[in-house]
Each structure stands twice: as structure tokens, then as C-alpha cells.
Amino acid sequence: MKKNDYIDLTCTYLSTDAKGVCKANDFCFYVDNLLPNESCNATVEGIKGKTVYARVMELNNKSVDRVDVNCNSYEKCGGCNLLHLKYSKQLEFKKNNIHLLFKNKGINARVLEVIGMNNPFNYRNKVIASVSLNNKKIVYGMYEENSHDVVYNKNCLIQNKKLNELLISIKEELDKLKIKPEGFGGVLRHIMMRIGINTNEVLIVFVTNSEMFPGRNELVKALTKKHKEIKTIIQNINPRITPIVFGNKERVLYGPGFITDKLLNNSYKISYRSFYQVNPIQTEILYKKAIELANLNKNEVVLDCYSGIGTISLSLAKQVKQVIGVEIVKEAVNDAINNAKHNNINNAKFICDDCKKFMNNYNGIIDTLFVDPPRSGLDNEFIKSVRRLKPNKIIYISCNPSTQVDDISKLLDLYNLKEIQPVDLFPNTIHCENICLLTRK
Ligand code: SAH
């Protein structure tokens, strides 16, 4: 087996990262855009031991679960690896993956049906697009995997429609004003946008590599004249060469520097540096489900770790005695404190700290613990503190069930795993949000 060889393959199942897995000649092949029971002629792209990465040249038969893909960046972008699979089957795939994660850890538990969306498109309320130049005109999109080539996509199928329209309009203005990207005689690096889908307010951030941003005033004027939904425009300055999008400095060019959105019964001020769930329709379902599973009462103290702008804390505050949110990003904590005031909630307190450190020093009572950590999950020190503080209930919300399962397995001598409820926050991608309820033994 060598690179560029051709081979006939038949897919037996999907790997957890949605590649079609095929066995042939003692090798295991991973093929993008190939579904179970489909056969194809493929070409070998890379070999690592007995693992071969291959690409479909010709599909011989189509699975009944295959759907047409209407995205012209599909092959290059790599964002939506499941676009070619019927949505009901995507949900089955995600449930099965979560089931396998628990099973492989020796945990036999029932995973509930994944809660999906009625319309699994145009759900993302946030865009981060990199900017480049092609034929002297601005192009924008995600970088192609392992490269700095921008995959230009004018109509991203999972992005909010208004944001897609605004990006086209921004491109037109940039071209008109001859504002150039970094590397092409200009300073512009990225465009970040966020929309409050329940308020129709839009925030735009232009990330530049210097404070000088020629054409800035004309750009702001043209955009805000054309689009009344633009509530605020910010310039973020990031002179460092780094894959991290934002630098430390910023300048508000227009408006108050934040937008507002509504979620469940509260409204939230959101600054651009704060984390805010990207799929607000499913976030409401996620929070409702998580709070329902917690079965809260008026005498409880709740700790909400990794609290962001306070959305979970403030959604449940009215049902409990007190809630404490802990979050490491200062801007997000400020947003959370303002959001509590703004919604007349006075039994919620927010602390800016590393959750691990906070838990280590904490000696009070926690009846119910909510955790919603980043993809890396909880670290051992955090888990040690959980074992010391022994909350009655733990609601573990995760965007990476793989680390979630690892963490939970370290608590099962003290806790029963009562419920596993996945919620699809990321349709058409391989990702899935998952809620687990643990109760004290
Ligand atoms: N629960 C919130 C945010 C979840 S995202 C929501 O649903 O919107 C995870 C959050 O954890 C982010 O806001 C991130 O800034 C924060 N975070 C990451 N590492 C942290 C740490 N070590 N201590 C505290 N917060 C942290």
C-alpha cells in the first residue's frame, strides 16, 4: 500500500470523527464523506502503520441515509463533517458515540435520545472569519485544515442568515474602501460577529495587527448607515503572531461595546470576550433540561462552576436560596454581575477565580453543583475538592463527552450516575453537548 494507490472499499461503520471505516488487505481505511454500506473507489492519501487515510474518487452506491450537500466549501472547510448524513441518523450517531464512551470505561448506563433541532441549519449566532485577498478582492472564511488558506464561503449553512448577509456587505465595503488584509499591505486579520437572535442586535469586531486602521471611520459609517441592527463595532488589536484571535487592546468604534440577548426569562448583556453558547435555541432546551434534572428547592445553595456570563446561575436563581457562579474571565464575570442586577436577581453572586483554586479554598455547603467546563474537562484537583465537599447532586454539562466520561468515572464510588441526556447544540458537526446527573450514594 502506498500513496496515490487506487483501491475499492466498502464502509462498515462511521468512526467517532465521522470518517467511513473500511477494512481491506489487512489495513483499516478512514475515508471522508463515506457512509456505512456505501462502496467506492478511493485513492490513498496517507499511511500510518496499518491505518490508511483515503479519499473517495467514485461512489458506487449511495446509502439511503445520504442527503444532498448544498455547501460549496464542504470538502475544504472541515466544519460540518456530517452534512451528508440525514439528520435523524446524525442524532443516532451522536447517541451511539456517547454510549460507547461510557461502555469503554466499563460504565453501563442508558443514554437518552439526543434532543435535536427542528431545523438543524443557520443556528450559529457567532462568526469568526479570517480575511485574505484573492484577485485583489477580499475573501473571508475559516482556514483550511493545517494551512493559512482561507476557505471562502459566502453562504455558510450553519451560520445565522443575517450574519451571512452582513459578511457579504462588509466585504463589499472593504473592497470599496480598499481596506486590505494583513499580508497584503493592510492590517485586517479577522472579523468576529455575534447576533442576539431574540433581540436582533449585532456586534462586530475587526481584529487588526496594529492600532492604525486606515479607512476605519468610513467603514463604520457605511456599515451602520446600511444596517440598523448593528448595535456596536469594536476594533481589537492583536500584533502578536499567534493562533489566538484576540489581542489585549481594544477600541470601541461605535455603540456601547456589547449587545443584549434574551434567554429563557432573562436578558443578558454580552461583551465580545465573554463566552456565550453558539446555538441559543438549543441552549434554552439544554438549560431547561439541566435545571429540571437538578430538581431544585428553595432551601438549596447552588454552585455554578465555569459560569460564563451567568446564564445558568440566573436561569435557576429564582428556584433556590442562593447561587454562586465562578468564572475566570474578568469581562464575563462583570457581565454576569450586571446581568444579575439588570434582571433584579439578588440571590446570585459571581466570583472571578480559577474554579480549581476556588473549590480548593471553599469550605461552605454546596447542595447542588453545576459544572460546565471547557473541552479539557475538570482537573484532578477539582475532582478532589468535589470529593471533599460532597454536594448532594452534580449536574455535569459538557461539550466534550470524552473528558466528561473520564471525570465522572472518578466519582462513581461516591455517586450514582442517574441520567445521561445529550442535547444537539452543533447539528451537522460531530460535536454534541451532554448533561449527566449524579446523585450521592
Ligand atoms: N456555563 C456558561 C459557560 C460555559 S463555557 C454557559 O453556558 O454559557 C466554559 C466557561 O469556563 C468559559 O466562560 C470560560 O471562560 C470558563 N473557564 C475556563 N477555564 C476556567 C477555569 N479554570 N476556571 C474558571 N472558569 C474557567
Side-chain angles (χ1 to χ4, degrees):
M1 192 68 47
K2 55 184 192 312
K3 209 175 162 179
N4 299 329
D5 274 1
Y6 288 91
I7 184 159
D8 288 324
L9 298 170
T10 300
C11 173
T12 44
Y13 66 95
L14 281 183
S15 66
T16 50
D17 54 355
K19 293 184 193 299
V21 182
C22 317
K23 302 267 164 68
N25 302 349
D26 230 13
F27 287 91
C28 187
F29 293 79
Y30 290 86
V31 190
D32 277 330
N33 200 354
L34 189 67
L35 295 175
N37 301 321
E38 288 182 338
S39 23
C40 72
N41 185 256
T43 174
V44 172
E45 294 204 309
I47 308 167
K48 258 193 208 154
K50 286 280 168 194
T51 302
V52 183
Y53 297 95
R55 187 155 63 96
V56 175
M57 297 310 285
E58 200 182 337
L59 196 60
N60 299 329
N61 67 310
K62 273 190 189 176
S63 160
V64 289
D65 299 330
R66 179 174 284 278
V67 288
D68 289 339
V69 170
N70 298 315
C71 173
N72 50 21
S73 317
Y74 182 53
E75 302 253 315
K76 281 188 169 173
C77 164
C80 300
N81 310 35
L82 286 175
L83 258 185
H84 57 293
L85 181 63
K86 212 191 255 175
Y87 189 53
S88 58
K89 292 285 166 179
Q90 292 185 22
L91 297 177
E92 259 178 44
F93 165 81
K94 292 184 185 193
K95 176 181 169 181
N96 206 22
N97 283 346
I98 293 174
H99 177 76
L100 273 177
L101 286 172
F102 281 100
K103 198 170 154 213
N104 292 343
K105 272 267 167 201
I107 304 167
N108 249 328
R110 181 176 63 124
V111 180
L112 295 171
E113 295 298 320
V114 183
I115 304 175
M117 294 187 84
N118 291 333
N119 171 17
F121 295 100
N122 301 107
Y123 59 84
R124 274 187 71 96
N125 62 1
K126 177 181 159 184
V127 168
I128 297 183
S130 299
V131 186
S132 186
L133 210 63
N134 191 357
N135 281 330
K136 300 192 178 153
K137 300 281 185 203
I138 292 281
V139 289
Y140 55 82
M142 309 243 288
Y143 286 131
E144 196 175 338
E145 211 182 346
N146 304 322
S147 109
H148 256 67
D149 292 344
V150 165
V151 182
Y152 186 25
N153 187 354
K154 277 193 275 193
N155 183 27
C156 172
L157 297 180
I158 61 169
Q159 245 159 235
N160 177 280
K161 282 186 183 161
K162 185 92 234 169
L163 294 184
N164 279 337
E165 280 169 33
L166 275 167
L167 272 172
I168 293 174
S169 188
I170 293 172
K171 172 206 153 52
E172 284 169 6
E173 293 304 329
L174 292 172
D175 282 337
K176 224 188 271 169
L177 294 164
K178 299 202 166 40
I179 295 177
K180 299 274 184 280
E182 177 186 43
F184 296 89
V187 297
L188 187 60
R189 274 193 179 177
H190 312 283
I191 303 166
M192 185 268 197
M193 289 201 278
R194 200 175 247 167
I195 183 165
I197 63 154
N198 294 311
T199 55
N200 209 28
E201 293 181 9
V202 174
L203 168 151
I204 303 176
V205 184
F206 292 107
V207 183
T208 59
N209 66 8
S210 86
E211 291 201 30
M212 299 276 286
F213 181 15
R216 153 176 76 203
N217 295 340
E218 293 85 342
L219 179 64
V220 169
K221 218 188 229 167
L223 289 174
T224 51
K225 195 170 160 207
K226 222 162 142 189
H227 302 281
K228 290 295 161 232
E229 61 276 28
I230 298 177
K231 181 83 187 291
T232 193
I233 303 180
I234 295 148
Q235 178 190 356
N236 174 282
I237 300 130
N238 189 0
R240 284 173 303 169
I241 300 169
T242 156
I244 295 165
V245 174
F246 295 132
N248 298 329
K249 272 196 185 166
E250 70 205 13
R251 178 188 325 200
V252 178
L253 305 179
Y254 176 80
F258 61 84
I259 52 164
T260 307
D261 198 16
K262 289 194 184 117
L263 213 53
L264 295 174
N265 295 322
N266 295 319
S267 80
Y268 295 94
K269 287 184 180 173
I270 310 158
S271 34
Y272 76 96
R273 287 181 191 274
S274 300
F275 176 90
Y276 186 57
Q277 296 283 1
V278 295
N279 183 340
I281 296 173
Q282 290 298 87
T283 299
E284 290 197 330
I285 294 172
L286 176 81
Y287 288 177
K288 257 195 214 159
K289 201 78 216 174
I291 293 169
E292 180 192 312
L293 287 174
N295 192 20
L296 300 165
N297 69 59
K298 261 291 181 197
N299 305 319
E300 288 190 47
V301 176
V302 172
L303 185 66
D304 172 19
C305 279
Y306 309 91
S307 53
I309 59 168
T311 41
I312 293 178
S313 295
L314 299 177
S315 298
L316 61 79
K318 292 213 166 89
Q319 301 178 31
V320 299
K321 189 164 91 185
Q322 201 197 13
V323 53
I324 306 165
V326 185
E327 159 66 45
I328 204 163
V329 173
K330 192 176 80 226
E331 287 85 355
V333 177
N334 287 339
D335 284 348
I337 292 169
N338 285 330
N339 287 328
K341 271 190 213 140
H342 175 74
N343 290 292
N344 294 319
I345 293 171
N346 44 32
N347 62 338
K349 183 161 102 178
F350 293 96
I351 293 164
C352 187
D353 201 352
D354 180 337
C355 284
K356 177 178 69 190
K357 281 194 201 142
F358 176 87
M359 287 288 278
N360 206 3
N361 296 328
Y362 191 73
N363 281 311
I365 285 175
I366 309 168
D367 297 300
T368 300
L369 172 68
F370 278 73
V371 291
D372 184 7
R375 292 187 63 75
S376 51
L378 308 172
D379 39 34
N380 280 332
E381 242 182 279
F382 187 100
I383 291 173
K384 238 196 225 163
S385 302
V386 173
R387 299 179 64 89
R388 175 177 61 82
L389 292 161
K390 298 191 186 70
N392 292 330
K393 290 167 280 179
I394 303 172
I395 307 289
Y396 190 148
I397 302 175
S398 169
C399 56
N400 185 2
S402 153
T403 52
Q404 183 187 34
V405 169
D406 278 350
D407 293 340
I408 286 177
S409 72
K410 295 172 189 157
L411 290 165
L412 290 180
D413 56 331
L414 293 179
Y415 286 88
N416 291 314
L417 177 53
K418 282 281 192 192
E419 211 78 79
I420 306 169
Q421 174 66 72
V423 182
D424 192 17
L425 257 66
F426 315 103
N428 298 308
T429 78
I430 56 174
H431 301 291
C432 191
E433 198 84 6
N434 191 35
I435 314 169
C436 289
L437 166 67
L438 299 165
T439 56
R440 272 284 297 285
K441 277 188 178 166

